[in-house]
Amino acid sequence: MTSPYRISRFPSALLVSAGALFLSSAGQAQDSVTTDGGTITPSEVGRFFNQPGYSPYAGRNFPGRPLWGEIHLHTSWSPDAIAAGTRVSPDEALRYAKGEEITSSTGQKVRLSRPYDFMMVADHSDALGIMAGVLAGEPAFMADPKLKEWNKGMNAGGDAAAKVVIEMITLQGQGKLPEAVTDTDTQFDMWRKMTDIVEGHDDPGTFTALIGYEWTSNYGGGNNLHRNVVYRDGKAKADMVRPLTTFDTEIPNELWDWMAMYEEKTGGKVLAVPHNGNLSNGLMFATETPDGKPIDAAWAEARARFEPLVEVTQSKGTSEQHPSLAPADEFANFEIWDKGNLNVVPKEPGMIEYEYARQALKRGLKLEDELGTNPFKFGMLGSTDDHTGISSAEENNFFGKFPASEPGPERSTGNAFDFEGRIIKDWQLGASGLTAVWAPENTRASIWDTMKRKEVYGTTGTRIGVRFFGGWEFVPDDAHRRDPGAVGYGKGVPMGGDLPPAPDGGTAPNFLVAALKDPLSGNLDRIQIIKGWVDADGGLQEKIHDVAWSGDRQPDADGKVPLVGSTVDVAEATWTNTIGAPELIAVWQDPDFDPALKAFYYVRVLEIPTPRWTAYDAAYFADADFADDVPMTVTERAYTSPIWYAPGGG
C-alpha cells in the first residue's frame, strides 16, 4: 500500500512543511507592479511560493495528530448487558464519549478524563434491544417459560441476574435461545431505531459516531469468533439490509458473504474486526474453517478484503502474543487470559498457536505463497468490550466489564465469569484498550478509509502518540527532526503499508519511529520493533529489537536493554516520572535483512510501570481484600499496525 499523502522531496534544510504552496503564476516574467503597499517584484515574490513557506503547517495534507476512540462498546441494548444490570443506553454512552458526565448503572457519576474523537456502539446483533421487553415483562415474551424465568432473575439482580447472563451466553453458543428473542422482523425494527440514535450524535469535524454492531459467533459452545462490523455509511444505506446474526450463521466466511451482499445492494462499505482470539480455543486464526473445511484462495481473498484489522487488547485479555510462543519476549506475559474459551472450556494442546496476532501475521506470510493472498495481513487496534455503556480504559477510572464489576470493594474478590465452577475473577479484567486513527478528517468516511488502509494502532488505554514509517531513504539525522510526520510521509510509507521495491545496491530497509507520552500517564521506557518472517526452510521466525530507550542503560550481549525499574507506590497508588522519557525517536535499519524473504515489522511502545486499577481500588476502598498474588502495577503499551516487505515490493 502506498501513502495517500504526497510530500514534495525538498532538500532537508527546506523540509519544514507537509508540502509547498504553489501559485500557478509564479515564475512568469512580469514587470514590477506598484501598489499602495509599495513595489512588488514578481521574481522576489515567487521565491516565497516555489518552495516551502515559513509556516510548517500551511498546506499540510497529512494528519497532525491521531484521533482517539473505540469501536467496541456495549450498552443496555445488548442482551447480556441488560440482563447483568446495565441501564446505560446507546444515547447516554455516546454522550459520555463526547465528554459528558453520566450516571452508571450502579448510580455512580462518571466522566472521561478527555473526550473521544469517535465511538462505535457495538451492541450484539443477536436480540438487539429485545431484552428490554423481557425485563419489562411484556406479554409477548412472558408466554415463554424461559423468558419468564429470565424476567424474574433480571429484576432480582445480583447473583440471579448473573445466572441469567451465563445461561444466555451458553444457550446462544448452542443455538438454543428462545424463539421469541430471535425474530428477524423485531431485530430489524430495533436496528433502525439504533441507527436513528447514532445518526443524531454524528457531528462531522467534531465527533464521529460510527454505525456498527457485533456479530457474536460462539461456535461450538463458547469458541469466540466475534467480529465488530463497521460501516462507512450513514443511516440511509445501513437501514437497507438487516444486520447478520448468529441465528443466521456462525461461520465467519458466511459473514463475509453477507458483507459482499450489503456492498453490492447498497453501494456502501463495511469492514469487520475480529477480537479475542485468545478465547477462541484455536479457531480464530486456524487454517481450516470452524466446521472443518480447508481454506482456499477464495477464503483468503475474502478475509483479506473484509478484515483489515484485529483487536489485540481489551478487558478480556491480550491477543498480541502468548509468552509460551515467544519465550524470548520478556514483555509478552501481559494481561493474559489462557484458561479456555469464552465459556472457560479448557484449552487443549496446540490451540494457543492459532489464537494470537503475531503468530497469525507470521503464518499469513506462508499462506500467501500457498493461496496467492495473505489472509492475515491485518493491522492492530484496541477497544474495551465493556458491557456497561461506559468506555473505561483508564486505570484510575475503570468501571469494569459488567455492572457487578463497577467500582466497589466487592470486586476485589468477585467473579467476572462463573461457568459451572470455571471462574474468571474480577481482578483479572483489564482496563484496556483504545484505538488511534491517523485520519486526516474527523468524519465517518475518513476514519473508515484510514482503518481500511490500516493506518491505525491500539493502546492498552493510554494515549501514547506513535508515528511509524518504513522506507529505504531514512538516515540517522532524521531522528533529530521535530517533524517526523513530514519526514516520514516524504521518505516512506506509514504503518499499515507495504515497502516499495528496494533500490539497486542491496540495502536493507530502514524505519523512522517516534513516540510521545500521554501527558496523564507514565513516561516512556522504550520503543521496540518486532520483526516476523518465514525462513528459507518455511519456519516461522520472530525477533524483538529495542531501538530507542530512556536513560543511559546499555544493551546486553543479546541486544536487550535492562528493565527501567519502577517508582510505583502501591499503597498510595501513585508514581513519579523520575525515570523514563517524555518522548523517544529513532531511525533503525534491519541488521539481519534478507531480500529474498518476506517479512513484517511493527512497533510496540512501553511505558514505565504505573499503578494498575487494582492498586487504585485498594487505596480507595478500605474494605477491598485483594489476594497477595493480584497484580498492582501495569506496563501500559501501544501496538502499531505492521509494515510489510515482499521481494519485488508489496
Side-chain angles (χ1 to χ4, degrees):
M1 183 200 77
T2 58
S3 169
Y5 311 112
R6 297 291 178 260
I7 311 299
S8 299
R9 306 299 180 89
F10 301 112
S12 59
L14 298 177
L15 189 55
V16 295
S17 71
L21 175 64
F22 293 92
L23 292 185
S24 60
S25 61
Q28 293 179 353
Q30 296 182 19
D31 296 331
S32 61
V33 178
T34 301
T35 72
D36 291 341
T39 300
I40 299 175
T41 304
S43 62
E44 294 182 1
V45 174
R47 72 185 177 89
F48 292 106
F49 296 103
N50 283 324
Q51 59 189 5
Y54 183 84
S55 172
Y57 313 111
R60 183 170 68 179
N61 68 345
F62 64 86
R65 72 171 185 91
L67 301 179
W68 289 98
E70 74 148 310
I71 62 165
H72 193 182
L73 178 69
H74 295 269
T75 75
S76 61
W77 283 42
S78 281
D80 52 347
I82 192 171
T86 297
R87 301 296 181 262
V88 176
S89 68
D91 174 72
E92 291 172 297
L94 287 163
R95 289 195 285 108
Y96 168 84
K98 293 156 76 170
E100 292 187 29
E101 182 179 288
I102 66 170
T103 302
S104 78
S105 300
T106 56
Q108 303 182 63
K109 296 294 185 181
V110 60
R111 186 175 186 174
L112 283 170
S113 66
R114 293 154 287 182
Y116 290 161
D117 298 300
F118 66 92
M119 166 66 79
M120 188 178 90
V121 171
D123 282 316
H124 302 290
S125 58
D126 291 0
L128 178 70
I130 292 174
M131 291 303 293
V134 176
L135 176 68
E138 294 180 4
F141 298 117
M142 294 303 96
D144 185 291
K146 180 56 66 177
L147 295 181
K148 189 172 183 178
E149 177 186 326
W150 287 356
N151 165 269
K152 183 178 179 181
M154 291 164 66
N155 281 288
D159 290 343
K163 181 180 178 181
V164 173
V165 175
I166 297 301
E167 185 173 20
M168 188 182 298
I169 294 171
T170 301
L171 293 181
Q172 188 267 353
Q174 297 171 348
K176 296 180 180 179
L177 282 173
E179 187 175 336
V181 301
T182 65
D183 180 73
T184 57
D185 290 338
T186 304
Q187 182 228 5
F188 206 179
D189 288 342
M190 296 304 296
W191 172 248
R192 294 184 178 108
K193 292 177 181 177
M194 171 66 82
T195 58
D196 269 338
I197 295 169
V198 176
E199 201 76 3
H201 285 278
D202 190 50
D203 185 7
T206 302
F207 178 83
T208 293
L210 293 163
I211 291 174
Y213 66 89
E214 181 182 303
W215 178 77
T216 314
S217 173
N218 290 316
Y219 187 87
N223 295 324
N224 189 113
L225 295 175
H226 303 181
R227 268 83 170 164
N228 294 329
V229 178
V230 186
Y231 290 69
R232 189 180 190 270
D233 315 310
K235 176 179 175 62
K237 290 181 178 178
D239 283 359
M240 293 173 66
V241 178
R242 178 178 63 82
L244 195 73
T245 71
T246 62
F247 314 142
D248 301 308
T249 181
E250 290 189 298
I251 306 298
N253 47 287
E254 294 179 3
L255 169 66
W256 309 332
D257 292 341
W258 176 93
M259 296 169 75
M261 178 274 293
Y262 170 86
E263 293 191 347
E264 182 178 358
K265 181 174 181 178
T266 68
K269 296 290 183 181
V270 285
L271 60 83
V273 182
H275 64 87
N276 281 120
N278 61 327
L279 303 180
S280 69
N281 274 10
L283 295 185
M284 182 61 80
F285 302 115
T287 52
E288 60 181 25
T289 64
D291 51 348
K293 298 176 182 176
I295 62 174
D296 56 18
W299 184 96
E301 291 170 4
R303 183 158 189 163
R305 172 185 171 185
F306 289 117
E307 298 190 354
L309 299 168
V310 166
E311 181 184 295
V312 296
T313 179
Q314 62 135 275
S315 61
K316 299 199 304 296
T318 301
S319 298
E320 181 225 4
Q321 182 61 301
H322 191 275
S324 70
L325 302 174
D329 184 353
E330 59 190 319
F331 298 104
N333 190 17
F334 177 76
E335 302 287 347
I336 295 295
W337 282 34
D338 58 3
K339 283 188 175 182
N341 66 8
L342 186 60
N343 293 2
V344 205
V345 174
K347 296 187 186 302
E348 297 176 3
M351 286 181 173
I352 285 175
E353 173 74 23
Y354 297 93
E355 297 184 346
Y356 287 81
R358 195 187 303 169
Q359 293 299 104
L361 287 166
K362 291 185 290 186
R363 185 166 288 107
L365 300 175
K366 191 170 185 177
L367 289 173
E368 185 174 17
D369 291 333
E370 300 172 12
L371 303 174
T373 300
N374 181 349
F376 302 140
K377 190 175 183 179
F378 51 75
M380 294 187 279
L381 54 75
S383 284
T384 67
D385 195 12
D386 290 339
H387 280 55
T388 58
I390 298 167
S391 175
S392 60
E394 298 169 301
E395 302 294 334
N396 66 346
N397 198 27
F398 181 52
F399 267 66
K401 171 76 173 175
F402 289 105
S405 56
E406 289 189 3
E410 61 279 354
R411 70 176 177 177
S412 64
T413 57
N415 297 335
F417 298 97
D418 183 351
F419 289 90
E420 299 177 345
R422 304 186 304 273
I423 294 172
I424 299 292
K425 304 296 291 184
D426 279 332
W427 65 259
Q428 292 176 273
L429 295 167
S432 186
L434 285 181
T435 293
V437 179
W438 284 108
E441 297 177 339
N442 192 352
T443 64
R444 284 170 173 164
S446 185
I447 291 173
W448 192 95
D449 290 347
T450 305
M451 293 172 70
K452 180 71 171 179
R453 68 173 179 266
K454 312 179 188 76
E455 198 175 346
V456 307
Y457 63 97
T459 79
T460 54
T462 59
R463 303 192 191 188
I464 305 170
V466 187
R467 295 275 200 187
F468 180 44
F469 300 94
W472 307 94
E473 302 176 16
F474 294 112
V475 295
D477 280 351
D478 291 331
H480 300 153
R481 300 288 301 275
R482 302 304 302 167
D483 51 359
V487 179
Y489 288 113
K491 291 186 174 184
V493 298
M495 59 181 78
D498 295 294
L499 287 169
D504 295 335
T507 186
N510 40 52
F511 300 86
L512 172 65
V513 57
L516 183 66
K517 77 176 293 290
D518 179 339
L520 300 186
S521 193
N523 274 345
L524 304 178
D525 167 16
R526 69 188 71 196
I527 298 175
Q528 300 178 311
I529 291 181
I530 298 174
K531 177 185 177 182
W533 73 99
V534 179
D535 65 27
D537 297 322
L540 305 183
Q541 304 293 338
E542 67 176 59
K543 189 171 183 179
I544 300 170
H545 299 268
D546 291 325
V547 302
W549 55 90
S550 63
D552 57 1
R553 294 171 287 167
Q554 296 298 314
D556 63 17
D558 296 323
K560 288 187 175 182
V561 174
L563 296 177
V564 71
S566 176
T567 65
V568 175
D569 181 335
V570 171
E572 298 296 327
T574 61
W575 83 98
T576 63
N577 277 325
T578 52
I579 58 174
E583 61 180 51
L584 296 169
I585 186 170
V587 169
W588 175 82
Q589 189 170 47
D590 183 356
D592 306 310
F593 180 66
D594 184 335
L597 302 178
K598 294 179 180 178
F600 64 83
Y601 306 82
Y602 70 89
V603 166
R604 185 170 65 187
V605 181
L606 302 174
E607 288 186 1
I608 66 171
T610 49
R612 193 174 183 265
W613 71 263
T614 45
Y616 286 107
D617 272 26
Y620 187 86
F621 297 110
D623 296 335
D625 186 23
F626 289 102
D628 291 340
D629 61 346
V630 173
M632 290 289 164
T633 65
V634 64
T635 302
E636 305 279 9
R637 57 197 65 195
Y639 310 99
T640 73
S641 294
I643 293 172
W644 285 266
Y645 166 78

